[in-house]
Amino acid sequence: MRVDVLVVGAGLAGLHTARRLAERDLSVLVVERRRSLTAGIRTTGIFVRRTLDDFSLPDHLLGPGIRDVLLYPPSRRSPIRLTSDRDEYRVADMAAVYEHARRAAEVAGVRVMLGVRYAGASHDSPATHLLIGAEPVSARFLIGADGARSRVARDLGLDVNRRFLVGAELVHPVASGRNTPAFHCVLDPRVAPGYLAWVIDDGRHAHVGVAGYPSVMRAGVRHLLDAFAADAPGRTAPAGPIERRGGPIPVGGVLRRLASPAGLLVGDAAGAVSPLTAGGLDPCLRLSELAASVTADFLRTGDQHELRRYDGGGLRSHFSGRLLLRRAYAAVRSPGAAEAAVALLRNRAGRAMAARVLFGDRSFPDVTTHPVPVGRNSGT
């Protein structure tokens, strides 16, 4: 088989990039090692207001809007409540979002192959890519959307993620109508060193999770999650089966070397995750838009100068403040220090800073200029 672009990974970044390329009349193949897109989901599925404003996500796949965030110190006493006058978060049914994005990509002309693993590439031009579960594919360009520990990044000689959190989460339905949707965040280094533990209850489902630096999680993330879930603030009893999720979260910021004449990286493979909040859905969509534009222009013209638009170093300049805050927060290792940090957020200036982080519009640079449909053809 010969295609213009081979995309490795059928997450949101890979499928969105593939669809945008197919809409530019390129032949695109997506391969995904999972046999089902509903298996092995790792993300909580939180979409922030900025994403909801700029991308046309299918409304029926999103939960109710969330406006309240409660910040708890390790003692869990007297949480700080921040309330927005707008819906700041909506939690998606990610299994349905992935399937929706897959169908939209296929309508645009993308071929999606599940249960196929990328196994490396030759040095020919165009390169021949070896696949486990399918015949080799000849492609002019390779896109790595294969997650935080990207095999494609290594094969292309591009940068790889080196700073990670590890997260785990329980997801279950709740009895409807019992609680006002809210996002509960617990800052406790004993449970979530370097990050936080959370409960998100949107009135339909509850997401209970922890994340932190694995080198400090001596008890292991699964044990810490179970201990936190036993008395997590804001959690209601499950009204159905419990699903477990988890995986690595890159928090070192966008990688500097993202592209070469042979291919480029998107999504977690590119480090497209907010280094402070660890949110990745908004960055993956924005970077995918840029990646598709750069790839199409490069393949059309053959001009390697087009690849300079996909400059991780330039994007990193927008993260300097958040990278500093990430390092500062990672240094908070004791419950006493965490209590003091939360105390600083109780005054007007502290609350304003917390609101800027949690309700802000600048978690990732804006690389789009107008609303973009997600999961359907842009002409509909």
Short mmCIF file of all heavy atoms in Angstrom, two decimals, residues 274-312:
data_model
loop_
_atom_site.label_atom_id
_atom_site.label_comp_id
_atom_site.label_asym_id
_atom_site.label_seq_id
_atom_site.Cartn_x
_atom_site.Cartn_y
_atom_site.Cartn_z
N SER A 274 -0.49 20.82 29.02
CA SER A 274 -0.18 21.96 29.87
C SER A 274 0.74 21.49 31.00
O SER A 274 0.37 20.59 31.76
CB SER A 274 -1.45 22.56 30.46
OG SER A 274 -1.13 23.52 31.45
N PRO A 275 1.94 22.06 31.14
CA PRO A 275 2.86 21.57 32.16
C PRO A 275 2.37 21.79 33.58
O PRO A 275 2.80 21.08 34.49
CB PRO A 275 4.14 22.37 31.89
CG PRO A 275 3.72 23.56 31.12
CD PRO A 275 2.52 23.14 30.33
N LEU A 276 1.47 22.74 33.80
CA LEU A 276 0.98 23.00 35.15
C LEU A 276 -0.27 22.20 35.46
O LEU A 276 -0.33 21.48 36.44
CB LEU A 276 0.71 24.49 35.33
CG LEU A 276 0.22 24.91 36.73
CD1 LEU A 276 1.22 24.50 37.80
CD2 LEU A 276 -0.05 26.40 36.77
N THR A 277 -1.31 22.32 34.63
CA THR A 277 -2.57 21.64 34.91
C THR A 277 -2.60 20.20 34.41
O THR A 277 -3.49 19.44 34.79
CB THR A 277 -3.74 22.41 34.28
OG1 THR A 277 -3.62 22.33 32.84
CG2 THR A 277 -3.75 23.86 34.72
N ALA A 278 -1.67 19.83 33.53
CA ALA A 278 -1.60 18.49 32.93
C ALA A 278 -2.78 18.20 32.02
O ALA A 278 -3.07 17.05 31.71
CB ALA A 278 -1.47 17.40 33.99
N GLY A 279 -3.47 19.24 31.56
CA GLY A 279 -4.55 19.05 30.61
C GLY A 279 -4.00 18.87 29.20
O GLY A 279 -3.13 19.61 28.77
N GLY A 280 -4.54 17.88 28.48
CA GLY A 280 -3.99 17.58 27.17
C GLY A 280 -4.95 17.63 26.00
O GLY A 280 -4.52 17.59 24.84
N LEU A 281 -6.26 17.72 26.25
CA LEU A 281 -7.21 17.66 25.14
C LEU A 281 -7.21 18.95 24.32
O LEU A 281 -7.24 18.91 23.09
CB LEU A 281 -8.61 17.34 25.67
CG LEU A 281 -8.77 15.94 26.27
CD1 LEU A 281 -10.16 15.76 26.84
CD2 LEU A 281 -8.47 14.86 25.24
N ASP A 282 -7.20 20.09 24.99
CA ASP A 282 -7.13 21.35 24.26
C ASP A 282 -5.82 21.47 23.48
O ASP A 282 -5.84 21.77 22.27
CB ASP A 282 -7.30 22.53 25.21
CG ASP A 282 -7.31 23.86 24.48
OD1 ASP A 282 -8.34 24.20 23.88
OD2 ASP A 282 -6.28 24.56 24.51
N PRO A 283 -4.66 21.22 24.10
CA PRO A 283 -3.41 21.29 23.33
C PRO A 283 -3.36 20.33 22.16
O PRO A 283 -2.84 20.67 21.10
CB PRO A 283 -2.34 20.93 24.38
CG PRO A 283 -2.93 21.33 25.68
CD PRO A 283 -4.40 21.04 25.55
N CYS A 284 -3.90 19.13 22.32
CA CYS A 284 -3.79 18.15 21.22
C CYS A 284 -4.58 18.61 20.01
O CYS A 284 -4.14 18.44 18.87
CB CYS A 284 -4.22 16.76 21.69
SG CYS A 284 -5.91 16.28 21.37
N LEU A 285 -5.74 19.23 20.22
CA LEU A 285 -6.52 19.71 19.09
C LEU A 285 -5.85 20.89 18.41
O LEU A 285 -5.79 20.98 17.18
CB LEU A 285 -7.92 20.09 19.55
CG LEU A 285 -8.83 18.91 19.93
CD1 LEU A 285 -10.13 19.42 20.55
CD2 LEU A 285 -9.11 18.03 18.73
N ARG A 286 -5.32 21.82 19.19
CA ARG A 286 -4.69 23.01 18.62
C ARG A 286 -3.42 22.64 17.85
O ARG A 286 -3.19 23.13 16.73
CB ARG A 286 -4.39 24.03 19.71
CG ARG A 286 -5.64 24.57 20.34
CD ARG A 286 -5.41 25.66 21.36
NE ARG A 286 -6.66 25.90 22.06
CZ ARG A 286 -7.66 26.64 21.58
NH1 ARG A 286 -7.53 27.25 20.40
NH2 ARG A 286 -8.78 26.78 22.25
N LEU A 287 -2.60 21.78 18.44
CA LEU A 287 -1.37 21.41 17.75
C LEU A 287 -1.67 20.56 16.53
O LEU A 287 -0.95 20.63 15.52
CB LEU A 287 -0.44 20.67 18.71
CG LEU A 287 1.03 20.63 18.30
CD1 LEU A 287 1.61 22.04 18.24
CD2 LEU A 287 1.84 19.77 19.25
N SER A 288 -2.74 19.76 16.58
CA SER A 288 -3.11 18.95 15.42
C SER A 288 -3.49 19.82 14.23
O SER A 288 -3.19 19.49 13.08
CB SER A 288 -4.26 18.01 15.77
OG SER A 288 -3.86 17.06 16.73
N GLU A 289 -4.17 20.93 14.50
CA GLU A 289 -4.51 21.86 13.43
C GLU A 289 -3.25 22.38 12.74
O GLU A 289 -3.16 22.40 11.50
CB GLU A 289 -5.31 23.04 13.99
CG GLU A 289 -6.75 22.72 14.30
CD GLU A 289 -7.54 22.48 13.02
OE1 GLU A 289 -7.49 23.33 12.11
OE2 GLU A 289 -8.22 21.44 12.95
N LEU A 290 -2.29 22.81 13.54
CA LEU A 290 -1.04 23.32 12.98
C LEU A 290 -0.29 22.21 12.25
O LEU A 290 0.25 22.42 11.16
CB LEU A 290 -0.18 23.92 14.08
CG LEU A 290 1.17 24.49 13.66
CD1 LEU A 290 1.00 25.61 12.64
CD2 LEU A 290 1.94 25.00 14.89
N ALA A 291 -0.24 21.02 12.84
CA ALA A 291 0.48 19.90 12.22
C ALA A 291 -0.10 19.57 10.85
O ALA A 291 0.65 19.32 9.90
CB ALA A 291 0.41 18.68 13.13
N ALA A 292 -1.42 19.56 10.73
CA ALA A 292 -2.04 19.24 9.44
C ALA A 292 -1.71 20.29 8.40
O ALA A 292 -1.42 19.98 7.24
CB ALA A 292 -3.55 19.09 9.61
N SER A 293 -1.75 21.56 8.79
CA SER A 293 -1.44 22.64 7.86
C SER A 293 0.01 22.56 7.39
O SER A 293 0.30 22.66 6.19
CB SER A 293 -1.71 23.99 8.53
OG SER A 293 -1.30 25.06 7.71
N VAL A 294 0.92 22.36 8.33
CA VAL A 294 2.35 22.28 7.98
C VAL A 294 2.62 21.08 7.10
O VAL A 294 3.34 21.18 6.09
CB VAL A 294 3.20 22.23 9.27
CG1 VAL A 294 4.64 21.85 8.95
CG2 VAL A 294 3.16 23.57 10.01
N THR A 295 2.07 19.93 7.46
CA THR A 295 2.29 18.71 6.67
C THR A 295 1.79 18.86 5.25
O THR A 295 2.49 18.52 4.28
CB THR A 295 1.61 17.51 7.36
OG1 THR A 295 2.16 17.32 8.66
CG2 THR A 295 1.79 16.24 6.54
N ALA A 296 0.58 19.38 5.10
CA ALA A 296 0.00 19.54 3.76
C ALA A 296 0.83 20.49 2.91
O ALA A 296 1.11 20.21 1.73
CB ALA A 296 -1.43 20.04 3.87
N ASP A 297 1.26 21.60 3.49
CA ASP A 297 2.05 22.57 2.73
C ASP A 297 3.43 22.00 2.37
O ASP A 297 3.94 22.23 1.26
CB ASP A 297 2.20 23.86 3.53
CG ASP A 297 0.91 24.65 3.61
OD1 ASP A 297 -0.02 24.34 2.84
OD2 ASP A 297 0.81 25.56 4.46
N PHE A 298 4.02 21.26 3.29
CA PHE A 298 5.33 20.66 3.01
C PHE A 298 5.22 19.62 1.90
O PHE A 298 6.05 19.61 0.96
CB PHE A 298 5.90 20.03 4.27
CG PHE A 298 7.13 19.20 4.03
CD1 PHE A 298 8.29 19.77 3.54
CD2 PHE A 298 7.12 17.84 4.29
CE1 PHE A 298 9.43 18.99 3.30
CE2 PHE A 298 8.24 17.06 4.06
CZ PHE A 298 9.40 17.64 3.57
N LEU A 299 4.23 18.77 1.95
CA LEU A 299 4.08 17.74 0.91
C LEU A 299 3.69 18.35 -0.43
O LEU A 299 4.05 17.81 -1.48
CB LEU A 299 3.05 16.71 1.35
CG LEU A 299 3.45 15.83 2.54
CD1 LEU A 299 2.34 14.86 2.90
CD2 LEU A 299 4.75 15.07 2.27
N ARG A 300 3.00 19.45 -0.41
CA ARG A 300 2.61 20.11 -1.67
C ARG A 300 3.79 20.80 -2.33
O ARG A 300 3.95 20.75 -3.56
CB ARG A 300 1.50 21.12 -1.39
CG ARG A 300 1.05 21.93 -2.61
CD ARG A 300 -0.11 22.85 -2.27
NE ARG A 300 0.21 23.70 -1.13
CZ ARG A 300 0.89 24.85 -1.22
NH1 ARG A 300 1.33 25.27 -2.41
NH2 ARG A 300 1.14 25.58 -0.16
N THR A 301 4.65 21.44 -1.52
CA THR A 301 5.74 22.26 -2.08
C THR A 301 7.10 21.58 -2.04
O THR A 301 7.98 21.93 -2.83
CB THR A 301 5.85 23.58 -1.31
OG1 THR A 301 6.26 23.31 0.05
CG2 THR A 301 4.53 24.33 -1.31
N GLY A 302 7.29 20.64 -1.12
CA GLY A 302 8.61 20.05 -0.93
C GLY A 302 9.59 21.00 -0.25
O GLY A 302 10.78 20.67 -0.13
N ASP A 303 9.12 22.15 0.23
CA ASP A 303 9.98 23.17 0.83
C ASP A 303 10.12 22.89 2.32
O ASP A 303 9.16 23.00 3.09
CB ASP A 303 9.36 24.55 0.60
CG ASP A 303 10.26 25.68 1.10
OD1 ASP A 303 11.30 25.40 1.70
OD2 ASP A 303 9.89 26.85 0.86
N GLN A 304 11.35 22.55 2.75
CA GLN A 304 11.57 22.23 4.15
C GLN A 304 11.40 23.44 5.06
O GLN A 304 11.25 23.29 6.29
CB GLN A 304 12.95 21.61 4.34
CG GLN A 304 13.10 20.27 3.66
CD GLN A 304 14.40 19.57 4.01
OE1 GLN A 304 15.04 19.89 5.01
NE2 GLN A 304 14.81 18.62 3.18
N HIS A 305 11.40 24.64 4.51
CA HIS A 305 11.15 25.82 5.33
C HIS A 305 9.74 25.79 5.93
O HIS A 305 9.50 26.42 6.97
CB HIS A 305 11.33 27.10 4.50
CG HIS A 305 12.77 27.44 4.23
ND1 HIS A 305 13.46 26.87 3.19
CD2 HIS A 305 13.63 28.26 4.88
CE1 HIS A 305 14.69 27.33 3.18
NE2 HIS A 305 14.83 28.18 4.20
N GLU A 306 8.82 25.08 5.29
CA GLU A 306 7.47 24.97 5.85
C GLU A 306 7.51 24.32 7.24
O GLU A 306 6.69 24.64 8.10
CB GLU A 306 6.58 24.14 4.92
CG GLU A 306 6.30 24.78 3.57
CD GLU A 306 5.36 25.97 3.66
OE1 GLU A 306 4.78 26.19 4.74
OE2 GLU A 306 5.21 26.68 2.64
N LEU A 307 8.45 23.40 7.44
CA LEU A 307 8.52 22.69 8.71
C LEU A 307 8.92 23.61 9.87
O LEU A 307 8.69 23.28 11.03
CB LEU A 307 9.52 21.53 8.61
CG LEU A 307 9.18 20.45 7.57
CD1 LEU A 307 10.31 19.45 7.48
CD2 LEU A 307 7.86 19.76 7.93
N ARG A 308 9.52 24.76 9.54
CA ARG A 308 9.92 25.68 10.60
C ARG A 308 8.72 26.28 11.33
O ARG A 308 8.84 26.78 12.45
CB ARG A 308 10.78 26.80 10.02
CG ARG A 308 12.12 26.30 9.48
CD ARG A 308 12.96 27.45 8.95
NE ARG A 308 14.22 26.97 8.39
CZ ARG A 308 15.13 27.75 7.83
NH1 ARG A 308 14.90 29.06 7.73
NH2 ARG A 308 16.24 27.24 7.33
N ARG A 309 7.57 26.26 10.69
CA ARG A 309 6.35 26.73 11.35
C ARG A 309 5.97 25.82 12.52
O ARG A 309 5.26 26.24 13.43
CB ARG A 309 5.20 26.79 10.36
CG ARG A 309 5.37 27.82 9.27
CD ARG A 309 4.37 27.59 8.13
NE ARG A 309 3.02 27.40 8.61
CZ ARG A 309 2.09 26.68 7.98
NH1 ARG A 309 2.39 26.06 6.83
NH2 ARG A 309 0.88 26.55 8.48
N TYR A 310 6.44 24.58 12.47
CA TYR A 310 6.12 23.62 13.52
C TYR A 310 7.30 23.57 14.49
O TYR A 310 8.01 22.58 14.60
CB TYR A 310 5.86 22.25 12.89
CG TYR A 310 4.99 21.35 13.74
CD1 TYR A 310 3.66 21.67 13.96
CD2 TYR A 310 5.50 20.19 14.29
CE1 TYR A 310 2.86 20.83 14.72
CE2 TYR A 310 4.70 19.35 15.05
CZ TYR A 310 3.38 19.68 15.27
OH TYR A 310 2.59 18.86 16.03
N ASP A 311 7.49 24.68 15.17
CA ASP A 311 8.69 24.90 15.99
C ASP A 311 8.34 24.75 17.47
O ASP A 311 7.69 25.62 18.06
CB ASP A 311 9.23 26.31 15.71
CG ASP A 311 10.40 26.67 16.61
OD1 ASP A 311 11.08 25.75 17.10
OD2 ASP A 311 10.62 27.87 16.83
N GLY A 312 8.77 23.65 18.07
CA GLY A 312 8.51 23.45 19.49
C GLY A 312 9.19 24.47 20.37
O GLY A 312 8.66 24.87 21.40
#
